[in-house]
Amino acid sequence: MSYCDFANALPHGTDNPNKHYHDHAYGFPIDNDNALFERLVLEINQAGLSWTLMLKKQQAFQTAYSGFDIAAVAAYSEADRERLLNDAGIIRNRLKINAAIYNAGQILALQREYGSFKNWLDRHHPRSLPEWTKLFKKHFKFVGGEIVNEFLMSTGYLKGAHAENCPVYAEVLRHKPKWAEG
């Protein structure tokens, strides 16, 4: 069963967070760097776990990671790392926590060079998934092919978030995802 089939079969008003995410976030372009960083952190933390778990923990992640303020996370100290490792509301994996902090610093560097993380992504679009993965591995930690693919699909850079027969597909197109550009 595809993600679209799964989400579209959920009843309206469900408390399953996949319904809202599928209908209002997945595949839609994101312009805000902090929101892009949030999606990257959630995708990294999802590795080996379920996306439903990430969605259920999203608010706890937002609180733990200073609202995904890139500069704040990049400045985290060893005490902040320990705080995150002891926060039962998030995924307490040292490699993933260290990657989030490191990646925030990398995004700050990209912002200085390109004006924003989004500008950096736009500048490198379009690319194939292997090219994107190589580029991400050059700049970030804990970013394999699946994480890069899901991050780019979920933010509108790669096609595939929704099946063409999914009712949300047309809505995503109205928001002009990068993959749909001529």
Side-chain angles (χ1 to χ4, degrees), residues 5-18:
D5 291 340
F6 167 73
N8 288 323
L10 293 170
H12 290 288
T14 181
D15 64 350
N16 186 318
N18 285 286

Side-chain angles (χ1 to χ4, degrees), residues 94-162:
R94 184 177 301 277
L95 292 174
K96 293 176 180 183
I97 289 168
N98 288 341
I101 297 166
Y102 175 85
N103 292 345
Q106 291 298 101
I107 291 172
L108 284 181
L110 294 174
Q111 287 175 330
R112 284 189 295 273
E113 186 174 350
Y114 293 90
S116 71
F117 183 31
K118 182 181 182 330
N119 287 346
W120 178 80
L121 290 164
D122 290 349
R123 174 90 179 266
H124 292 288
H125 179 78
R127 287 179 182 253
S128 67
L129 178 58
E131 291 169 329
W132 275 115
T133 302
K134 183 177 179 181
L135 181 66
F136 268 66
K137 285 183 173 192
K138 179 179 173 186
H139 293 280
F140 303 113
K141 289 186 177 178
F142 215 102
V143 287
E146 186 62 27
I147 290 168
V148 172
N149 183 55
E150 280 299 322
F151 171 75
L152 293 169
M153 272 199 325
S154 74
T155 58
Y157 284 89
L158 290 178
K159 188 175 183 178
H162 296 274

Side-chain angles (χ1 to χ4, degrees), residues 54-67:
M54 294 305 100
L55 294 174
K56 287 181 177 180
K57 290 183 172 279
Q58 187 172 10
Q59 185 59 53
F61 271 99
Q62 288 171 347
T63 301
Y65 283 97
S66 305

